[in-house]
Structure formats: C-alpha cells, structure tokens
mmCIF file of all heavy atoms in Angstrom:
data_model
loop_
_atom_site.group_PDB
_atom_site.id
_atom_site.type_symbol
_atom_site.label_atom_id
_atom_site.label_comp_id
_atom_site.label_asym_id
_atom_site.label_seq_id
_atom_site.Cartn_x
_atom_site.Cartn_y
_atom_site.Cartn_z
ATOM 1 N N GLY A 18 58.155 122.375 85.886
ATOM 2 C CA GLY A 18 57.672 121.388 84.915
ATOM 3 C C GLY A 18 56.204 121.038 85.061
ATOM 4 O O GLY A 18 55.819 119.881 84.863
ATOM 5 N N THR A 19 55.375 122.026 85.371
ATOM 6 C CA THR A 19 53.969 121.741 85.667
ATOM 7 C C THR A 19 53.214 121.154 84.471
ATOM 8 O O THR A 19 52.332 120.311 84.654
ATOM 9 C CB THR A 19 53.256 123.012 86.150
ATOM 10 O OG1 THR A 19 53.468 124.070 85.198
ATOM 11 C CG2 THR A 19 53.806 123.463 87.493
ATOM 12 N N ARG A 20 53.554 121.560 83.252
ATOM 13 C CA ARG A 20 52.835 121.064 82.080
ATOM 14 C C ARG A 20 53.207 119.616 81.745
ATOM 15 O O ARG A 20 52.542 118.983 80.927
ATOM 16 C CB ARG A 20 53.094 121.973 80.878
ATOM 17 C CG ARG A 20 52.536 123.373 81.052
ATOM 18 C CD ARG A 20 52.800 124.267 79.846
ATOM 19 N NE ARG A 20 52.150 123.734 78.658
ATOM 20 C CZ ARG A 20 52.784 123.428 77.523
ATOM 21 N NH1 ARG A 20 54.092 123.569 77.429
ATOM 22 N NH2 ARG A 20 52.121 122.968 76.481
ATOM 23 N N MET A 21 54.270 119.122 82.379
ATOM 24 C CA MET A 21 54.696 117.748 82.131
ATOM 25 C C MET A 21 54.103 116.770 83.144
ATOM 26 O O MET A 21 54.399 115.577 83.138
ATOM 27 C CB MET A 21 56.229 117.676 82.146
ATOM 28 C CG MET A 21 56.829 116.385 81.642
ATOM 29 S SD MET A 21 56.455 115.961 79.923
ATOM 30 C CE MET A 21 57.684 116.918 79.048
ATOM 31 N N ARG A 22 53.228 117.241 84.014
ATOM 32 C CA ARG A 22 52.556 116.336 84.951
ATOM 33 C C ARG A 22 51.687 115.329 84.202
ATOM 34 O O ARG A 22 51.157 115.663 83.146
ATOM 35 C CB ARG A 22 51.691 117.148 85.929
ATOM 36 C CG ARG A 22 52.514 117.934 86.936
ATOM 37 C CD ARG A 22 51.636 118.807 87.800
ATOM 38 N NE ARG A 22 52.437 119.497 88.824
ATOM 39 C CZ ARG A 22 52.005 120.541 89.519
ATOM 40 N NH1 ARG A 22 50.789 121.019 89.325
ATOM 41 N NH2 ARG A 22 52.797 121.107 90.414
ATOM 42 N N PRO A 23 51.527 114.104 84.677
ATOM 43 C CA PRO A 23 51.927 113.596 85.999
ATOM 44 C C PRO A 23 53.373 113.108 86.097
ATOM 45 O O PRO A 23 53.808 112.710 87.172
ATOM 46 C CB PRO A 23 50.966 112.431 86.209
ATOM 47 C CG PRO A 23 50.740 111.902 84.830
ATOM 48 C CD PRO A 23 50.706 113.118 83.931
ATOM 49 N N LEU A 24 54.151 113.148 84.986
ATOM 50 C CA LEU A 24 55.526 112.653 85.047
ATOM 51 C C LEU A 24 56.348 113.417 86.077
ATOM 52 O O LEU A 24 57.226 112.853 86.734
ATOM 53 C CB LEU A 24 56.190 112.758 83.669
ATOM 54 C CG LEU A 24 55.580 111.914 82.544
ATOM 55 C CD1 LEU A 24 56.322 112.157 81.247
ATOM 56 C CD2 LEU A 24 55.603 110.442 82.906
ATOM 57 N N THR A 25 56.063 114.709 86.220
ATOM 58 C CA THR A 25 56.853 115.537 87.133
ATOM 59 C C THR A 25 56.277 115.582 88.549
ATOM 60 O O THR A 25 56.708 116.398 89.360
ATOM 61 C CB THR A 25 56.993 116.960 86.575
ATOM 62 O OG1 THR A 25 55.696 117.464 86.214
ATOM 63 C CG2 THR A 25 57.883 116.970 85.351
ATOM 64 N N ASP A 26 55.325 114.708 88.839
ATOM 65 C CA ASP A 26 54.866 114.594 90.228
ATOM 66 C C ASP A 26 55.958 114.002 91.118
ATOM 67 O O ASP A 26 56.007 114.273 92.324
ATOM 68 C CB ASP A 26 53.605 113.715 90.315
ATOM 69 C CG ASP A 26 52.369 114.429 89.793
ATOM 70 O OD1 ASP A 26 52.391 115.678 89.717
ATOM 71 O OD2 ASP A 26 51.388 113.743 89.465
ATOM 72 N N THR A 27 56.818 113.211 90.532
ATOM 73 C CA THR A 27 57.876 112.544 91.318
ATOM 74 C C THR A 27 59.260 112.705 90.692
ATOM 75 O O THR A 27 60.239 112.172 91.213
ATOM 76 C CB THR A 27 57.585 111.043 91.443
ATOM 77 O OG1 THR A 27 57.459 110.471 90.126
ATOM 78 C CG2 THR A 27 56.294 110.798 92.223
ATOM 79 N N LEU A 28 59.341 113.454 89.589
ATOM 80 C CA LEU A 28 60.586 113.544 88.828
ATOM 81 C C LEU A 28 60.742 114.960 88.285
ATOM 82 O O LEU A 28 59.782 115.521 87.762
ATOM 83 C CB LEU A 28 60.538 112.545 87.662
ATOM 84 C CG LEU A 28 61.789 112.319 86.828
ATOM 85 C CD1 LEU A 28 62.806 111.492 87.618
ATOM 86 C CD2 LEU A 28 61.415 111.591 85.531
ATOM 87 N N PRO A 29 61.922 115.565 88.369
ATOM 88 C CA PRO A 29 62.103 116.880 87.747
ATOM 89 C C PRO A 29 62.078 116.741 86.228
ATOM 90 O O PRO A 29 62.568 115.742 85.683
ATOM 91 C CB PRO A 29 63.469 117.335 88.249
ATOM 92 C CG PRO A 29 64.203 116.070 88.547
ATOM 93 C CD PRO A 29 63.161 115.087 89.016
ATOM 94 N N LYS A 30 61.538 117.729 85.552
ATOM 95 C CA LYS A 30 61.417 117.640 84.099
ATOM 96 C C LYS A 30 62.745 117.366 83.398
ATOM 97 O O LYS A 30 62.781 116.596 82.424
ATOM 98 C CB LYS A 30 60.776 118.916 83.533
ATOM 99 C CG LYS A 30 60.498 118.821 82.035
ATOM 100 C CD LYS A 30 59.816 120.062 81.503
ATOM 101 C CE LYS A 30 59.572 119.959 80.008
ATOM 102 N NZ LYS A 30 58.961 121.185 79.444
ATOM 103 N N PRO A 31 63.873 117.955 83.821
ATOM 104 C CA PRO A 31 65.134 117.672 83.122
ATOM 105 C C PRO A 31 65.536 116.196 83.126
ATOM 106 O O PRO A 31 66.351 115.779 82.310
ATOM 107 C CB PRO A 31 66.155 118.516 83.891
ATOM 108 C CG PRO A 31 65.365 119.654 84.446
ATOM 109 C CD PRO A 31 64.049 119.037 84.815
ATOM 110 N N LEU A 32 64.953 115.403 84.040
ATOM 111 C CA LEU A 32 65.283 113.980 84.079
ATOM 112 C C LEU A 32 64.246 113.104 83.385
ATOM 113 O O LEU A 32 64.374 111.877 83.380
ATOM 114 C CB LEU A 32 65.463 113.522 85.532
ATOM 115 C CG LEU A 32 66.624 114.172 86.293
ATOM 116 C CD1 LEU A 32 66.819 113.505 87.645
ATOM 117 C CD2 LEU A 32 67.920 114.145 85.483
ATOM 118 N N VAL A 33 63.226 113.721 82.785
ATOM 119 C CA VAL A 33 62.284 112.962 81.972
ATOM 120 C C VAL A 33 63.019 112.419 80.750
ATOM 121 O O VAL A 33 63.773 113.131 80.088
ATOM 122 C CB VAL A 33 61.097 113.851 81.542
ATOM 123 C CG1 VAL A 33 60.247 113.155 80.488
ATOM 124 C CG2 VAL A 33 60.250 114.220 82.756
ATOM 125 N N SER A 34 62.804 111.150 80.461
ATOM 126 C CA SER A 34 63.542 110.491 79.380
ATOM 127 C C SER A 34 62.845 110.669 78.035
ATOM 128 O O SER A 34 61.631 110.497 77.920
ATOM 129 C CB SER A 34 63.689 108.999 79.694
ATOM 130 O OG SER A 34 64.432 108.351 78.687
ATOM 131 N N VAL A 35 63.633 110.988 77.030
ATOM 132 C CA VAL A 35 63.174 111.058 75.643
ATOM 133 C C VAL A 35 64.182 110.295 74.789
ATOM 134 O O VAL A 35 65.379 110.593 74.815
ATOM 135 C CB VAL A 35 63.060 112.521 75.148
ATOM 136 C CG1 VAL A 35 62.647 112.546 73.672
ATOM 137 C CG2 VAL A 35 62.064 113.297 75.986
ATOM 138 N N GLY A 36 63.706 109.296 74.092
ATOM 139 C CA GLY A 36 64.610 108.488 73.286
ATOM 140 C C GLY A 36 65.623 107.730 74.116
ATOM 141 O O GLY A 36 66.759 107.502 73.681
ATOM 142 N N GLY A 37 65.237 107.340 75.331
ATOM 143 C CA GLY A 37 66.116 106.549 76.175
ATOM 144 C C GLY A 37 67.168 107.337 76.932
ATOM 145 O O GLY A 37 68.056 106.748 77.559
ATOM 146 N N LYS A 38 67.057 108.674 76.923
ATOM 147 C CA LYS A 38 68.042 109.506 77.607
ATOM 148 C C LYS A 38 67.333 110.692 78.260
ATOM 149 O O LYS A 38 66.468 111.312 77.641
ATOM 150 C CB LYS A 38 69.080 110.016 76.602
ATOM 151 C CG LYS A 38 70.185 110.876 77.211
ATOM 152 C CD LYS A 38 71.014 111.575 76.140
ATOM 153 C CE LYS A 38 71.761 110.604 75.261
ATOM 154 N NZ LYS A 38 72.704 111.341 74.347
ATOM 155 N N PRO A 39 67.668 111.035 79.505
ATOM 156 C CA PRO A 39 67.060 112.208 80.138
ATOM 157 C C PRO A 39 67.325 113.483 79.329
ATOM 158 O O PRO A 39 68.394 113.642 78.723
ATOM 159 C CB PRO A 39 67.749 112.275 81.503
ATOM 160 C CG PRO A 39 68.164 110.871 81.788
ATOM 161 C CD PRO A 39 68.547 110.301 80.438
ATOM 162 N N LEU A 40 66.345 114.382 79.332
ATOM 163 C CA LEU A 40 66.489 115.641 78.605
ATOM 164 C C LEU A 40 67.786 116.353 78.984
ATOM 165 O O LEU A 40 68.488 116.895 78.121
ATOM 166 C CB LEU A 40 65.289 116.546 78.899
ATOM 167 C CG LEU A 40 63.971 116.153 78.233
ATOM 168 C CD1 LEU A 40 62.803 116.878 78.893
ATOM 169 C CD2 LEU A 40 64.011 116.478 76.731
ATOM 170 N N LEU A 41 68.106 116.373 80.260
ATOM 171 C CA LEU A 41 69.308 117.058 80.726
ATOM 172 C C LEU A 41 70.568 116.484 80.096
ATOM 173 O O LEU A 41 71.512 117.229 79.754
ATOM 174 C CB LEU A 41 69.378 116.975 82.248
ATOM 175 C CG LEU A 41 70.563 117.652 82.948
ATOM 176 C CD1 LEU A 41 70.660 119.124 82.583
ATOM 177 C CD2 LEU A 41 70.438 117.490 84.464
ATOM 178 N N ASP A 42 70.612 115.178 79.916
ATOM 179 C CA ASP A 42 71.791 114.556 79.311
ATOM 180 C C ASP A 42 71.895 114.876 77.824
ATOM 181 O O ASP A 42 73.010 115.008 77.291
ATOM 182 C CB ASP A 42 71.769 113.051 79.531
ATOM 183 C CG ASP A 42 72.102 112.676 80.968
ATOM 184 O OD1 ASP A 42 72.692 113.509 81.675
ATOM 185 O OD2 ASP A 42 71.749 111.557 81.390
ATOM 186 N N HIS A 43 70.755 114.991 77.151
ATOM 187 C CA HIS A 43 70.796 115.435 75.754
ATOM 188 C C HIS A 43 71.519 116.774 75.668
ATOM 189 O O HIS A 43 72.391 116.977 74.808
ATOM 190 C CB HIS A 43 69.372 115.592 75.199
ATOM 191 C CG HIS A 43 68.700 114.311 74.806
ATOM 192 N ND1 HIS A 43 68.981 113.645 73.636
ATOM 193 C CD2 HIS A 43 67.736 113.576 75.434
ATOM 194 C CE1 HIS A 43 68.241 112.551 73.542
ATOM 195 N NE2 HIS A 43 67.460 112.494 74.623
ATOM 196 N N VAL A 44 71.156 117.713 76.548
ATOM 197 C CA VAL A 44 71.733 119.060 76.533
ATOM 198 C C VAL A 44 73.218 119.017 76.874
ATOM 199 O O VAL A 44 74.059 119.611 76.178
ATOM 200 C CB VAL A 44 70.973 119.969 77.522
ATOM 201 C CG1 VAL A 44 71.738 121.264 77.765
ATOM 202 C CG2 VAL A 44 69.577 120.266 76.995
ATOM 203 N N LEU A 45 73.573 118.324 77.947
ATOM 204 C CA LEU A 45 74.976 118.282 78.374
ATOM 205 C C LEU A 45 75.857 117.587 77.340
ATOM 206 O O LEU A 45 77.020 117.972 77.136
ATOM 207 C CB LEU A 45 75.082 117.600 79.729
ATOM 208 C CG LEU A 45 74.477 118.402 80.893
ATOM 209 C CD1 LEU A 45 74.412 117.536 82.150
ATOM 210 C CD2 LEU A 45 75.265 119.678 81.162
ATOM 211 N N ASP A 46 75.330 116.583 76.676
ATOM 212 C CA ASP A 46 76.096 115.921 75.620
ATOM 213 C C ASP A 46 76.368 116.871 74.462
ATOM 214 O O ASP A 46 77.467 116.859 73.880
ATOM 215 C CB ASP A 46 75.349 114.684 75.121
ATOM 216 C CG ASP A 46 75.370 113.530 76.116
ATOM 217 O OD1 ASP A 46 76.127 113.603 77.099
ATOM 218 O OD2 ASP A 46 74.605 112.562 75.908
ATOM 219 N N ARG A 47 75.384 117.701 74.113
ATOM 220 C CA ARG A 47 75.595 118.687 73.047
ATOM 221 C C ARG A 47 76.708 119.662 73.434
ATOM 222 O O ARG A 47 77.559 120.018 72.615
ATOM 223 C CB ARG A 47 74.311 119.472 72.789
ATOM 224 C CG ARG A 47 73.191 118.670 72.149
ATOM 225 C CD ARG A 47 73.409 118.515 70.675
ATOM 226 N NE ARG A 47 72.270 117.902 70.034
ATOM 227 C CZ ARG A 47 72.336 116.933 69.140
ATOM 228 N NH1 ARG A 47 73.506 116.444 68.802
ATOM 229 N NH2 ARG A 47 71.260 116.436 68.572
ATOM 230 N N LEU A 48 76.702 120.102 74.689
ATOM 231 C CA LEU A 48 77.734 121.025 75.151
ATOM 232 C C LEU A 48 79.107 120.358 75.126
ATOM 233 O O LEU A 48 80.104 120.970 74.700
ATOM 234 C CB LEU A 48 77.398 121.512 76.557
ATOM 235 C CG LEU A 48 76.177 122.433 76.662
ATOM 236 C CD1 LEU A 48 75.774 122.632 78.121
ATOM 237 C CD2 LEU A 48 76.453 123.783 76.006
ATOM 238 N N ALA A 49 79.174 119.109 75.553
ATOM 239 C CA ALA A 49 80.446 118.389 75.540
ATOM 240 C C ALA A 49 80.986 118.238 74.121
ATOM 241 O O ALA A 49 82.200 118.339 73.886
ATOM 242 C CB ALA A 49 80.284 117.021 76.198
ATOM 243 N N GLU A 50 80.091 118.014 73.176
ATOM 244 C CA GLU A 50 80.497 117.797 71.783
ATOM 245 C C GLU A 50 81.218 119.000 71.189
ATOM 246 O O GLU A 50 82.052 118.842 70.295
ATOM 247 C CB GLU A 50 79.275 117.450 70.931
ATOM 248 C CG GLU A 50 78.732 116.050 71.158
ATOM 249 C CD GLU A 50 77.343 115.857 70.557
ATOM 250 O OE1 GLU A 50 76.861 116.781 69.856
ATOM 251 O OE2 GLU A 50 76.736 114.799 70.794
ATOM 252 N N VAL A 51 80.899 120.207 71.665
ATOM 253 C CA VAL A 51 81.554 121.409 71.120
ATOM 254 C C VAL A 51 82.670 121.909 72.034
ATOM 255 O O VAL A 51 83.163 123.021 71.868
ATOM 256 C CB VAL A 51 80.540 122.532 70.821
ATOM 257 C CG1 VAL A 51 79.574 122.107 69.726
ATOM 258 C CG2 VAL A 51 79.800 122.965 72.074
ATOM 259 N N GLY A 52 83.068 121.094 73.019
ATOM 260 C CA GLY A 52 84.228 121.423 73.811
ATOM 261 C C GLY A 52 83.988 122.217 75.078
ATOM 262 O O GLY A 52 84.946 122.704 75.686
#
C-alpha cells in the first residue's frame, strides 16, 4: 500500500476506511451477499 501513505505508515491498506467501513469489509460483505 505504498501509494496510500501516510495512512499506511501504521495501517495496512485493506483496513483503510472508506465510507465508514474498511476496504476489506466492503469486499467481504460483497462475497457474503452472493453466498
């Protein structure tokens, strides 16, 4: 996640929040929605 610095100096990019939810959770929620 080098292009997301300085946010990724202390946080992995998948846990950066967008719209109040970490990116990783956006993805996992989409997967859950389709079973």
Side-chain angles (χ1 to χ4, degrees):
T19 53
R20 295 180 62 237
M21 191 61 83
R22 289 175 176 164
L24 297 179
T25 51
D26 286 340
T27 57
L28 188 74
K30 186 178 179 183
L32 296 188
V33 169
S34 182
V35 177
K38 181 191 296 188
L40 286 164
L41 181 56
D42 286 341
H43 282 282
V44 167
L45 291 170
D46 287 349
R47 291 281 187 225
L48 291 169
E50 287 166 7
V51 296

